[in-house]
């Protein structure tokens, strides 16, 4: 009985193993049929997901971290709101402050950016996957008036494009509004000049909002790839108007960098004959845009964006600008009275005029303040390019001062015993201000003044100190 049971059991197990093997290893014909069925099922599911995604509020992916370029301890490191596909010209948003009294605080702005960074990547993916063959826009006539308030035209096609609408919804949310308000506050020192220059050169006024896309109007902003300033210039795109040295970086100068940005945008428009393409080229580079258009002759920006021909960052660059410009220009139409009030901070504000003095020695902001009677913080804000808080040693440099304050300043500075030259000392283990001052024959006060530090400050290993050399 036991033997028969074992025999039957073995036969049963062998049979089960055979059928299981047969079921797990289908023939080629069965495999092809199964694959075909699965593909159809997947396609249907994908199509359904695309359709459903249009009726769902998407969330942006978290921003990518940036690496800080060590120019000074007061740089503003920024995070990208759009994944960085092309490092040449990142589109960036501020996460830490240190540039101006009106700039957003690091904690608040970072939190806003994290929350605002929602849905756009997925939306762009959906649009690209659908592979639109022609540009379609919703007519503005359908919503040209709301509560008796007419909606202003921006002057650039695509304000009602699906991707622009995604950004508009984000910026009209609580966190998005706060971010726009902070950006408009940051823009006050520079926007009157920008508007003046755009008007004089016959360029579209919506370009005044491009620094919000780039940096939230924070002049000390530095991206992960090293793009700097309100217009986010890379070092290889500074010529012919901007310079950088051990002592200064003109990309941090809101007025000088504006002149360079207007020159670059004008060149792009002359090259491509279309503002949407010119703007995208500002982001991805004129060379890259020229190659794309050679491969896709006769196609406009929206075709390139919708069909995934432009990289994701450049595809979203124009819609983001359009959304920002539309909201600010039509704040009352959208019921965004807080944004309207922030935008009116520059209403009737004249373009600021300045005096300039020439220096050829190392002069600290403190010395400039003493000689001019202007507050040290004011001098610093007008000369943010000077990231070492002093003028360059051994070269001529023009310092910007408020109008009417430069008279007699150069003569006073000559009597102060300013440094004619300077060296950079890197702090090593065991260094102290007293020891460094003895080594170079200067006073501790000289070191503190040149580096804007206190006599009781702690020196960190690797910190670079300016040592003034008096002759």
């Amino acid at each position: 009985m036991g033997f028969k049971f074992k025999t039957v059991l073995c036969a049963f197990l062998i049979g089960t193993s055979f059928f299981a093997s047969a079921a797990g290893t289908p023939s080629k014909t069965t495999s092809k049929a199964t694959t075909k069925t699965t593909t159809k099922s997947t396609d249907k599911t994908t199509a359904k997901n695309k359709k459903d995604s249009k009726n769902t509020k998407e969330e942006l992916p978290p921003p990518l971290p940036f690496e800080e370029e060590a120019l000074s301890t007061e740089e503003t490191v920024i995070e990208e709101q759009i994944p960085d596909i092309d490092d040449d010209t990142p589109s960036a948003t501020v996460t830490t402050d240190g540039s101006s009294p009106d700039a957003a605080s690091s904690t608040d702005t970072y939190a806003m950016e994290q929350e605002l960074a929602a849905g756009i990547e997925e939306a762009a993916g959906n649009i690209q996957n659908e592979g639109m063959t022609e540009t379609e826009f919703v007519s503005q006539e359908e919503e040209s008036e709301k509560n008796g308030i007419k909606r202003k035209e921006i002057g650039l096609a695509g304000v009602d494009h699906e991707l622009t609408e995604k950004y508009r919804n984000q910026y009209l949310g609580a966190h998005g509004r706060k971010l726009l308000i902070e950006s408009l506050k940051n823009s006050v020192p520079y926007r009157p000049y920008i508007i003046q220059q755009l008007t004089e050169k016959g360029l579209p006024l919506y370009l005044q909002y491009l620094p919000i896309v780039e940096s939230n109007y924070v002049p000390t902003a530095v991206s992960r790839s090293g793009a700097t300033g309100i217009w986010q210039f890379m070092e290889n795109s500074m010529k012919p108007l901007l310079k950088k040295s051990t002592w200064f970086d003109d990309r941090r100068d809101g007025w000088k960098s504006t002149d360079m940005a207007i020159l670059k945008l004008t060149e792009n428009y002359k090259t491509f004959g279309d503002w949407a393409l010119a703007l995208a080229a500002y982001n991805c580079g004129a060379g890259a845009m020229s190659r794309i258009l050679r491969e896709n002759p006769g196609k406009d920006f929206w075709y390139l964006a919708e069909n995934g021909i432009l990289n994701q960052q450049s595809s979203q660059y124009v819609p983001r600008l359009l959304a920002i410009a539309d909201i600010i220009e039509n704040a009352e139409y959208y019921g965004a009275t807080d944004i309207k009030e922030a935008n009116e901070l520059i209403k009737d504000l004249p373009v600021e005029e300045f005096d300039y003095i020439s220096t050829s020695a190392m002069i600290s902001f403190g010395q400039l303040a003493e000689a001019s009677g202007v507050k040290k913080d004011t001098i610093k804000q007008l000369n943010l390019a000077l990231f070492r808080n002093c003028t360059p040693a051994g070269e001529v440099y023009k310092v910007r001062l408020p109008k009417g304050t430069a008279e007699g300043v150069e003569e006073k500075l000559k009597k102060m015993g300013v440094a004619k030259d300077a060296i950079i000392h890197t702090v090593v283990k065991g260094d102290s201000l007293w020891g460094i001052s003895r080594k170079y024959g200067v006073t501790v006060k000289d070191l503190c003044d040149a580096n804007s530090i206190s006599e009781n400050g702690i020196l960190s290993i690797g910190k670079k100190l300016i040592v003034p050399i008096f002759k």
Side-chain angles (χ1 to χ4, degrees):
M1 185 73 178
F3 174 79
K4 286 182 179 181
F5 175 76
K6 289 181 180 178
T7 303
V8 172
L9 179 61
C10 287
F12 174 78
L13 291 174
I14 293 169
T16 303
S17 175
F18 171 81
F19 285 111
S21 175
T25 312
S27 65
K28 290 184 178 179
T29 304
T30 305
S31 177
K32 287 181 179 178
T34 304
T35 303
K36 188 174 182 181
T37 303
T38 304
T39 303
K40 287 184 178 179
S41 176
T42 303
D43 289 343
K44 289 181 180 178
T45 303
T46 303
K48 184 177 184 302
N49 289 342
K50 286 181 180 178
K51 186 176 181 181
D52 291 344
S53 68
K54 293 182 180 180
N55 302 318
T56 307
K57 184 177 180 182
E58 295 97 345
E59 296 292 327
L60 274 176
L64 300 176
F66 275 33
E67 298 170 0
E68 182 173 6
E69 180 184 355
L71 288 180
S72 77
T73 57
E74 296 178 352
E75 280 183 346
T76 301
V77 183
I78 54 182
E79 296 275 348
E80 287 211 48
Q81 195 165 2
I82 303 170
D84 187 18
I85 307 297
D86 189 326
D87 282 340
D88 286 345
T89 312
S91 175
T93 309
V94 180
T95 60
T96 58
D97 184 39
S99 60
S100 71
D102 292 323
S105 70
S106 59
T107 304
D108 291 346
T109 312
Y110 182 76
M112 282 191 290
E113 282 300 287
Q114 290 280 37
E115 183 127 356
L116 183 63
I120 306 303
E121 180 183 16
E122 187 175 346
N126 291 338
I127 292 170
Q128 292 172 355
N129 290 335
E130 288 169 4
M132 295 183 183
T133 57
E134 61 183 42
T135 302
E136 299 176 0
F137 298 116
V138 177
S139 172
Q140 271 192 298
E141 293 178 4
E142 296 178 8
E143 274 196 298
S144 62
E145 191 170 332
K146 186 184 293 183
N147 299 323
I149 302 169
K150 288 189 176 181
R151 184 184 182 192
K152 301 175 188 175
E153 295 283 349
I154 299 304
L156 184 63
V159 73
D160 288 306
H161 189 276
E162 181 181 2
L163 191 51
T164 306
E165 182 65 22
K166 300 288 183 182
Y167 268 118
R168 185 162 42 239
N169 290 338
Q170 293 296 323
Y171 279 111
L172 284 173
H175 292 287
R177 285 193 187 198
K178 189 173 181 181
L179 190 64
L180 285 183
I181 290 167
E182 293 297 341
S183 298
L184 288 170
K185 289 180 179 178
N186 295 342
S187 77
V188 171
Y190 312 109
R191 206 144 59 97
Y193 178 75
I194 292 173
I195 292 171
Q196 179 197 61
Q197 294 302 304
L198 293 174
T199 302
E200 287 181 359
K201 292 171 175 59
L203 303 181
L205 289 181
Y206 55 73
L207 295 176
Q208 67 182 288
Y209 304 117
L210 195 58
I212 297 180
V213 178
E214 290 287 354
S215 65
N216 285 348
Y217 263 107
V218 175
T220 56
V222 180
S223 76
R224 173 170 60 85
S225 55
T228 301
I230 63 174
W231 293 98
Q232 289 290 284
F233 281 105
M234 297 289 289
E235 283 193 40
N236 61 5
S237 60
M238 293 172 63
K239 294 180 180 179
L241 302 181
L242 305 178
K243 296 179 180 179
K244 179 186 175 184
S245 75
T246 306
W247 302 89
F248 64 88
D249 187 343
D250 283 340
R251 295 175 296 173
R252 292 161 54 109
D253 188 306
W255 297 276
K256 289 182 180 179
S257 62
T258 290
D259 293 341
M260 183 64 205
I262 288 177
L263 177 62
K264 188 68 176 174
L265 288 165
T266 302
E267 288 176 351
N268 284 356
Y269 182 70
K270 287 179 180 177
T271 300
F272 302 109
D274 176 89
W275 273 112
L277 291 174
L279 286 162
Y282 186 87
N283 178 258
C284 69
M289 180 59 72
S290 295
R291 288 192 297 273
I292 290 170
L293 292 176
R294 280 198 301 270
E295 296 168 1
N296 300 272
K299 303 303 182 183
D300 66 4
F301 166 81
W302 296 100
Y303 179 91
L304 300 175
E306 290 162 355
N307 290 277
I309 299 169
L310 283 174
N311 68 50
Q312 189 180 64
Q313 187 185 79
S314 299
S315 295
Q316 297 177 28
Y317 193 74
V318 174
R320 187 177 172 192
L321 172 63
L322 277 169
I324 291 169
D326 182 40
I327 291 171
I328 296 174
E329 290 293 318
N330 294 292
E332 192 173 6
Y333 172 86
Y334 290 112
T337 55
D338 46 358
I339 293 175
K340 182 175 182 287
E341 290 173 2
N343 189 39
E344 289 179 346
L345 289 173
I346 65 165
K347 186 178 181 180
D348 301 324
L349 195 66
V351 177
E352 194 170 1
E353 296 182 357
F354 305 103
D355 283 344
Y356 294 87
I357 62 168
S358 294
T359 64
S360 57
M362 197 192 80
I363 303 170
S364 69
F365 287 156
Q367 290 171 313
L368 287 167
E370 183 181 344
S372 64
V374 178
K375 290 183 179 180
K376 180 179 174 180
D377 286 344
T378 300
I379 293 174
K380 180 177 180 179
Q381 293 305 316
L382 294 180
N383 298 277
L384 286 171
L386 295 169
F387 55 80
R388 296 200 184 278
N389 299 317
C390 62
T391 58
E395 64 177 289
V396 176
Y397 188 87
K398 283 192 173 183
V399 177
R400 186 182 289 116
L401 295 174
K403 190 71 174 176
T405 62
E407 187 176 354
V409 173
E410 291 182 8
E411 288 73 19
K412 291 178 183 178
L413 290 172
K414 290 176 182 177
K415 299 176 182 178
M416 285 186 175
V418 295
K420 299 297 181 182
D421 202 352
I423 62 173
I424 305 298
H425 174 87
T426 302
V427 176
V428 297
K429 186 177 180 180
D431 270 350
S432 66
L433 287 173
W434 184 83
I436 295 169
S437 68
R438 295 273 295 186
K439 178 178 179 179
Y440 295 105
V442 296
T443 67
V444 171
K445 185 178 184 303
D446 291 333
L447 288 175
C448 291
D449 288 345
N451 295 278
S452 296
I453 57 177
S454 68
E455 294 188 13
N456 297 324
I458 298 175
L459 298 179
S460 55
I461 295 175
K463 180 179 177 63
K464 296 184 184 302
L465 293 178
I466 300 168
V467 182
I469 304 299
F470 296 94
K471 294 181 180 178

